[in-house]
Amino acid sequence: GAGVSQSPSNKVTEKGKDVELRCDPISGHTALYWYRQSLGQGLEFLIYFQGNSAPDKSGLPSDRFSAERTGGSVSTLTIQRTQQEDSAVYLCASSFDPSVSYNEQFFGPGTRLTVL
Amino acid sequence: AQTVTQSQPEMSVQEAETVTLSCTYDTSESDYYLFWYKQPPSRQMILVIRQEAYKQQNATENRFSVNFQKAAKSFSLKISDSQLGDAAMYFCAYCAGTYKYIFGTGTRLKVLA
């Protein structure tokens, strides 16, 4: 299995609860990205990790959102005190070193988050 | 600011026919990449085709081809001999620099048997 994997596939939670979404990138990919896809919308960039560099967090919508990447591999996106507007599909992607002129991002199947 | 616009929320095509999905973008960059991604009901985003802005030749991948008009900032996707498996959401995306992709809002393609 060489693709990007994400877990859980679906998550239903109650408003105010915290959730953790996991992403396993393709082995050897140094770059990892999180996107949010709300109903009827395109993909919204959230955060980007590259190697040991400081992540680009410019897309995180609020301080309730955070992400970490341990050992340059697995990443966890955490949403604290979830709100109904957080309901969306959260997609993870990985790629080789994006400092190369072209890098294809490979996407996982996403986690559908529903906040009741 | 860089933006990507897909003005067709939904399109339909008869099986075996040809359909064209539209995409326009706005940028002040001269070198960038454009992509079309397919997202079937499984949610897995799949790269269909990419175009490098400095290449004038339109990219082609089997039944998929693009019409890239750099001056007009237009990047349309043509699907020939449409198949039932082509039914999906199609997203146009732009990337300049290293990593940030900007996506359009998508076009849902229905293929009619």
Side-chain angles (χ1 to χ4, degrees):
Chain A
V4 177
S5 61
Q6 292 187 245
S7 60
S9 178
N10 292 283
K11 175 72 175 178
V12 180
T13 189
E14 293 179 348
K15 179 182 173 181
K17 296 284 181 68
D18 298 351
V19 295
E20 285 189 351
L21 312 180
R22 177 188 167 103
C23 172
D24 280 275
I26 292 172
S27 178
H29 281 187
T30 59
L32 187 146
Y33 318 75
W34 283 99
Y35 294 89
R36 178 169 69 176
Q37 183 180 17
S38 302
L39 188 64
Q41 301 296 315
L43 277 68
E44 173 190 6
F45 168 81
L46 296 178
I47 189 168
Y48 157 76
F49 296 91
Q50 165 56 21
N52 296 320
S53 302
D56 177 354
K57 304 179 182 180
S58 61
L60 295 179
S62 78
D63 58 8
R64 297 186 295 105
F65 288 72
S66 63
E68 62 177 20
R69 188 179 185 193
T70 54
S73 182
V74 172
S75 177
T76 302
L77 177 69
T78 301
I79 308 173
Q80 296 178 309
R81 305 181 302 282
T82 52
Q83 304 294 312
Q84 289 183 333
E85 60 262 30
D86 298 334
S87 296
V89 173
Y90 289 83
L91 291 164
C92 175
S94 70
S95 73
F96 287 112
D97 184 356
S99 65
V100 176
S101 61
Y102 165 70
N103 72 102
E104 179 181 345
Q105 296 188 15
F106 293 82
F107 285 81
T111 295
R112 181 179 299 280
L113 174 66
T114 303
V115 182
L116 302 176
Chain B
Q2 294 131 351
T3 58
V4 175
T5 302
Q6 293 179 251
S7 59
Q8 305 154 317
E10 190 170 294
M11 294 281 286
S12 296
V13 62
Q14 206 69 35
E15 196 175 6
E17 297 295 308
T18 296
V19 64
T20 299
L21 308 184
S22 301
C23 173
T24 59
Y25 59 94
D26 188 22
T27 184
S28 57
E29 302 285 341
S30 60
D31 192 18
Y32 48 88
Y33 290 88
L34 295 164
F35 309 89
W36 278 98
Y37 276 88
K38 171 185 178 181
Q39 186 181 42
S42 66
R43 299 198 304 248
Q44 188 92 42
M45 296 278 284
I46 303 164
L47 179 65
V48 174
I49 199 166
R50 70 175 185 267
Q51 176 78 42
E52 298 164 84
Y54 66 88
K55 289 187 176 179
Q56 296 194 358
Q57 185 174 5
N58 289 325
T60 299
E61 289 287 343
N62 301 313
R63 297 183 296 107
F64 299 87
S65 62
V66 299
N67 183 6
F68 173 49
Q69 301 289 327
K70 191 172 184 179
K73 296 179 183 174
S74 170
F75 181 61
S76 60
L77 174 69
K78 185 173 81 171
I79 306 174
S80 303
D81 186 26
S82 297
Q83 301 176 0
L84 294 177
D86 294 334
M89 283 290 289
Y90 286 82
F91 290 95
C92 177
Y94 159 98
C95 177
T98 56
Y99 60 87
K100 279 192 177 177
Y101 280 29
I102 299 171
F103 287 85
T105 52
T107 296
R108 180 174 302 281
L109 178 65
K110 294 184 176 180
V111 181
L112 308 174

